[in-house]
Amino acid sequence: MARIRASCPTCGDVELTTAEMSVRITGPDGSGEYHFDCPVCEAPVEKLAERHTVDLLLASGVHESSCDEPVEHLVFAESRPLTHDDLLAFHDLLADEAELTRAMAQLATDTGLSP
């Protein structure tokens, strides 16, 4: 089984087997992310990976985890980018408890979730 060197933000370089990692393709260009639990501190680690890194990990025998389209792509697919005015309006909404309660109730109604 291949050994792979990766980096934990706390422990630095660590060695893993292919069974201790998983990789997920998330980008249309084949880029993605890989995941592992650090063998030293046991913290979960997630790192972004360019396509060539994803390809190398898969070729080494790292398991590919399934990935549906990220929910933010589905939820905001038809939305415009957030503007400074949007942020100010959101700030004002958070400062007005009655308006925030109404907005949360409307969101619950629109999404079918109970408040």
Side-chain angles (χ1 to χ4, degrees):
M1 186 174 295
R3 303 281 304 164
I4 298 171
R5 182 169 291 192
S7 178
C8 169
T10 304
C11 304
D13 287 348
V14 294
E15 282 197 15
L16 305 147
T17 65
T18 55
E20 295 173 310
M21 297 184 82
S22 65
V23 66
R24 184 169 54 202
I25 299 171
T26 57
D29 61 350
S31 62
E33 52 198 31
Y34 59 91
H35 310 265
F36 62 92
D37 290 335
C38 176
V40 177
C41 69
E42 299 180 355
V45 178
E46 178 177 302
K47 301 264 187 158
L48 295 177
E50 295 180 5
R51 181 181 182 157
H52 70 275
T53 303
V54 169
D55 291 342
L56 285 170
L57 290 171
L58 291 173
S60 298
V62 173
H63 170 74
E64 180 179 358
S65 61
S66 62
C67 176
D68 294 331
E69 185 171 8
V71 69
E72 58 270 17
H73 291 181
L74 301 173
V75 173
F76 301 112
E78 298 176 11
S79 299
R80 61 178 172 69
L82 189 66
T83 67
H84 184 71
D85 288 339
D86 295 330
L87 184 59
L88 290 174
F90 182 62
H91 172 78
D92 291 343
L93 175 67
L94 292 175
D96 184 344
E97 191 170 331
E99 185 60 31
L100 179 59
T101 301
R102 279 191 293 277
M104 294 299 290
Q106 184 62 48
L107 178 63
T109 300
D110 292 348
T111 60
L113 302 173
S114 57

